[in-house]
């Protein structure tokens, strides 16, 4: 029978390492140079070359251990949805622009704004504030309110009318929300007409509320107080807190509390629908 002898050369790039703590065995062969072995068969010498490789196997079940796959690429459908939402937001902003926050809206304008809002709400999907309440945080500027088309600053709720009898010009309207203190302030900049030759009086009215989350997307607000602060030439005057009626003298139709649903919300745009059907569109400031 022929005799077979394997005699490695002076350098051997083959190494075997074992880690008893992880119970894994790693065989590692270098790729830098091929492995040269000398084969002796019946006194004759043969040489063979063998490429090195890295193989990792489990010492328990002898199954090769593979590296995890690379992360998946972004879904094209998500990119398409993002582009569609951006397009629908632009459509909504175009529908409500030039309407003086809704005071100049007619029936056709109301329908166009409502249809554009519904398209955005449908694509955006349901809003869940139970896991994303922090997205309400901040100061939001009102772009449009369908309630203002009634020419009453309170919308479908009691409020001062606009017109010649009581010349009030509505400026910017904001909502300031603090999710930690649960403060919810409606802030309106107003210009009050006075007899000539006196200049108009500029004031900022703040209607302070507290809010609470009802369900996943409904907000309930409870009125606390109204503060009026003069601005412009009379800004040095202290703020005036309007007195509240005693509870016994409040009418049955007391509107200290209200409720609305957040129907769309992202980082810079918010749509709400009130308990009396009001549609409101806000952008973050």
């Amino acid at each position: 029978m022929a005799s077979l002898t394997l005699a490695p050369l002076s350098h051997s790039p083959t190494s075997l390492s074992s880690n008893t703590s992880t119970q894994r065995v790693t065989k590692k062969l270098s790729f830098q140079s091929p492995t040269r072995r000398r084969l002796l068969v019946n006194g004759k010498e043969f040489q063979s070359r063998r490429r090195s490789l890295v193989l990792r196997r489990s010492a328990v079940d002898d199954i090769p251990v593979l590296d995890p796959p690379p992360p998946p690429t972004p879904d094209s459908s998500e990119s398409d949805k993002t582009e569609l939402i951006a397009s629908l937001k632009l459509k909504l902003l175009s529908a409500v622009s030039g309407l003086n926050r809704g005071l100049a809206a007619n029936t056709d304008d109301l329908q166009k704004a409502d249809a554009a809002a519904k398209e955005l709400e449908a694509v955006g999907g349901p809003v869940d504030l139970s896991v994303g309440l922090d997205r309400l945080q901040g100061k939001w500027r009102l772009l449009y309110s369908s309630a203002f088309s009634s020419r009453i600053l309170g919308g479908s709720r009691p409020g001062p009318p606009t017109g010649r009898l009581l010349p009030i010009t509505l400026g910017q309207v904001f909502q300031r929300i603090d999710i930690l203190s649960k403060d919810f302030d409606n802030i309106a900049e107003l210009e009050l007409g006075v007899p000539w030759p006196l200049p108009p009086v500029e004031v900022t009215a703040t209607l302070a509320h507290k809010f609470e989350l009802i369900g996943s997307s409904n907000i309930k607000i409870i009125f606390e107080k109204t503060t009026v602060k003069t601005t412009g030439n009379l800004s040095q005057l202290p703020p005036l807190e309007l007195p509240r009626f005693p509870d016994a003298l409040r009418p049955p139709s007391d509107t200290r509390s209200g409720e609305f649903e957040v129907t769309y919300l992202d980082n810079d745009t918010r749509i709400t629908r009130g308990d009396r059907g009001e549609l409101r569109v806000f952008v973050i400031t």
Side-chain angles (χ1 to χ4, degrees):
M1 179 179 298
S3 62
L4 178 64
T5 304
L6 286 177
L9 297 178
S10 59
H11 69 279
S12 176
T14 305
S15 62
L16 178 64
S17 62
S18 174
N19 189 332
T20 58
S21 63
T22 59
Q23 292 299 312
R24 305 178 67 85
V25 176
T26 302
K27 297 178 181 179
K28 183 177 181 181
L29 300 177
S30 171
F31 280 94
Q32 296 180 355
S33 62
T35 303
R36 184 186 299 273
R37 289 179 178 273
R38 186 172 59 195
L39 183 65
L40 299 179
V41 180
N42 289 335
K44 295 182 179 181
E45 180 178 312
F46 299 89
Q47 292 183 354
S48 63
R49 293 174 180 268
R50 182 175 61 181
R51 292 190 178 275
S52 60
L53 52 84
V54 177
L55 180 62
R56 182 175 295 172
R57 290 180 177 272
S58 168
V60 178
D61 50 15
D62 201 37
I63 298 176
V65 178
L66 303 177
D67 291 332
T73 58
D75 191 354
S76 60
S77 62
E78 280 297 321
S79 177
D80 294 341
K81 181 179 178 180
T82 301
E83 293 180 2
L84 178 57
I85 287 179
S87 175
L88 293 177
K89 286 170 64 173
L90 181 59
K91 181 179 179 180
L92 174 60
L93 297 180
S94 299
V96 302
S97 64
L99 300 180
N100 192 17
R101 286 162 292 280
L103 289 169
N106 55 33
T107 302
D108 187 54
D109 296 326
L110 294 174
Q111 293 175 352
K112 289 181 179 179
D114 188 73
K118 285 181 178 179
E119 286 186 88
L120 184 55
E121 291 166 342
V123 175
V127 176
D128 188 0
L129 295 177
S130 62
V131 295
L133 188 63
D134 58 316
R135 292 185 295 169
L136 284 179
Q137 178 74 29
K139 189 176 182 180
W140 299 81
R141 180 166 61 91
L142 177 71
L143 292 184
Y144 170 80
S145 172
S146 62
F148 284 171
S149 64
S150 63
R151 309 299 189 272
I152 294 178
L153 297 185
S156 57
R157 301 175 183 274
T162 59
R164 296 181 179 178
L165 295 180
L166 187 59
I168 298 177
T169 301
L170 178 65
Q172 298 290 346
V173 178
F174 302 93
Q175 279 186 350
R176 185 173 54 207
I177 304 174
D178 189 325
I179 63 171
L180 297 179
S181 63
K182 302 301 182 183
D183 288 335
F184 190 103
D185 298 336
N186 287 321
I187 305 170
E189 298 176 354
L190 304 171
E191 187 178 273
L192 309 180
V194 295
W196 185 85
L198 297 177
V201 177
E202 299 176 355
V203 300
T204 297
T206 301
L207 284 71
H209 302 75
K210 291 292 186 180
F211 83 92
E212 59 179 297
L213 178 64
I214 306 295
S216 61
S217 60
N218 283 16
I219 299 291
K220 181 179 181 180
I221 57 174
I222 302 174
F223 174 76
E224 290 195 325
K225 63 181 180 180
T226 299
T227 303
V228 177
K229 177 70 172 70
T230 55
T231 59
N233 296 330
L234 301 177
S235 58
Q236 70 276 11
L237 297 179
L240 174 64
E241 183 174 327
L242 300 184
R244 294 176 53 180
F245 286 107
D247 292 338
L249 299 178
R250 293 186 183 277
S253 59
D254 182 19
T255 55
R256 286 190 305 161
S257 65
E259 195 170 317
F260 62 86
E261 180 183 5
V262 180
T263 55
Y264 179 82
L265 179 62
D266 63 19
N267 293 332
D268 55 30
T269 305
R270 176 164 58 97
I271 301 176
T272 67
R273 293 186 180 269
D275 52 5
R276 287 172 170 79
E278 307 97 326
L279 169 66
R280 292 185 172 92
V281 180
F282 298 86
V283 292
I284 197 71
T285 60

